[in-house]
Amino acid sequence: MLSYLARRLIESLFVLAVMSLVIYWLIGLMPGDPIDIMIFSDPEMTPAEAERLRAIYGLDRPILERYLAWLGNALSGDFGYSRLYNQPALDILLPRLGNTVVLMGLSFLLALAIALPAGIYAATRPQSPVDHAINLIAFAGISVPPFWLAILLIILFAVTLGWLPAGGMGDGRDFWADLRYLALPVMALTIATVGGVIRFMRAAAIEALRQDYVRTALAKGLSGRQVVLGHVLRNAMIPVITILALQMGNLFSGALITEQIFAYLGMGKTIFDAVIGNDYNVALAGLLLATLTTLLANLLADLAYSWLDPRITYQ
């Protein structure tokens, strides 16, 4: 197990290094640079002053040379300064990563709490009215674009009913007040996630119900509930975990849109603002943190396989 973990960590570091080069190159292709924005805000800046600033920030060097210099600093924990906030990039991103983890974590747990029982319930009653109703809800969740859903929730719960705030964040002093601000973004991300998980859980549970060990358990006199909870759920979770790990990347992309719509100060909104404002260091560090989180989620999914099925070993 330790050798497997070491190999996966080395592979993750390699993927992270490749992604850092790709992201750095893509950000370098963006039109304009921070000096262009300075010129826009200060029209009296002369071309000579602009060239001098480009030389100071290293923007006149080839992109590969700039990347290697950035990588050397990043390996020592220096991801550069934010041009928009005039603070170290990590000081901006780490607190907002915590906000996004709270948002994604609540959405993820709520989606599991809904999707797993709904998928199992539909699988034990195939082609029944309840199965058709759950499938209809799942397809609706998959089909609705997250940004459209977020706007619909704002119109319904914030504008029409006035039950919840349309956006923003609490001040951290009152837990229940803060929870009201989280309600709509969590709801939007949960609805966007739950449909796909229900579909995979239903398909995996139907496959598990056809196996010989289920018939054997029923022949021994176990009740349907005991068979489902003791045998079907555990085995059906193995393929579902793969989907859940892949959903982490979708949750990050969904959080980027959702945080922007609800003005929630998380990683998604910060990266979006950094890209729009040509704040290269924050955008680059933010995208790498998102990549690292997705890689760790996939590693945890692999470890969960062996916990659910002891026959799976890592050598």
Side-chain angles (χ1 to χ4, degrees), residues 106-300:
L106 288 174
S107 307
F108 199 68
L109 292 176
L110 191 57
L112 286 184
I114 296 170
L116 298 190
I120 287 283
Y121 195 82
T124 55
R125 294 162 179 79
Q127 306 306 321
S128 67
V130 175
D131 182 31
H132 291 308
I134 291 175
N135 274 316
L136 183 64
I137 294 171
F139 279 123
I142 295 170
S143 305
V144 178
F147 71 92
W148 186 84
L149 181 63
I151 294 172
L152 188 67
L153 291 174
I154 289 174
I155 293 173
L156 178 61
F157 290 102
V159 178
T160 305
L161 299 175
W163 291 351
L164 295 168
M169 295 182 65
D171 55 10
R173 298 176 183 172
D174 186 339
F175 173 77
W176 295 111
D178 294 347
L179 205 57
R180 292 182 76 244
Y181 284 95
L182 272 170
L184 288 183
V186 166
M187 204 182 302
L189 283 178
T190 300
I191 295 173
T193 306
V194 75
V197 181
I198 286 177
R199 293 290 303 157
F200 276 99
M201 191 66 203
R202 178 184 178 277
I206 287 177
E207 182 64 28
L209 285 167
R210 294 172 180 161
Q211 300 302 313
D212 290 339
Y213 60 80
V214 172
R215 284 191 285 271
T216 302
L218 290 171
K220 286 182 177 179
L222 293 180
S223 67
R225 180 186 296 272
Q226 289 173 316
V227 171
V228 168
L229 295 179
H231 300 279
V232 174
L233 179 61
R234 193 181 184 99
N235 288 281
M237 280 296 294
I238 294 173
V240 173
I241 281 181
T242 304
I243 302 304
L244 294 177
L246 294 175
Q247 285 285 342
M248 289 299 294
N250 294 335
L251 272 176
F252 254 113
S253 58
L256 191 148
I257 299 170
T258 305
E259 289 176 1
Q260 189 66 24
I261 292 175
F262 289 103
Y264 184 85
L265 288 181
M267 282 280 291
K269 186 176 188 316
T270 305
I271 292 172
F272 182 86
D273 292 341
V275 170
I276 295 298
N278 278 354
D279 197 357
Y280 290 172
N281 292 328
V282 172
L284 184 56
L287 290 170
L288 285 179
L289 280 175
T291 305
L292 178 62
T293 305
T294 305
L295 289 172
L296 289 176
N298 280 277
L299 177 59
L300 291 176

Side-chain angles (χ1 to χ4, degrees), residues 33-60:
D33 60 31
I35 307 303
D36 291 332
I37 295 180
M38 290 182 188
I39 295 172
F40 181 77
S41 59
D42 182 11
E44 295 183 357
M45 182 182 291
T46 65
E49 289 174 333
E51 288 305 314
R52 185 176 62 83
L53 286 174
R54 283 196 172 88
I56 290 174
Y57 289 109
L59 297 174
D60 58 341

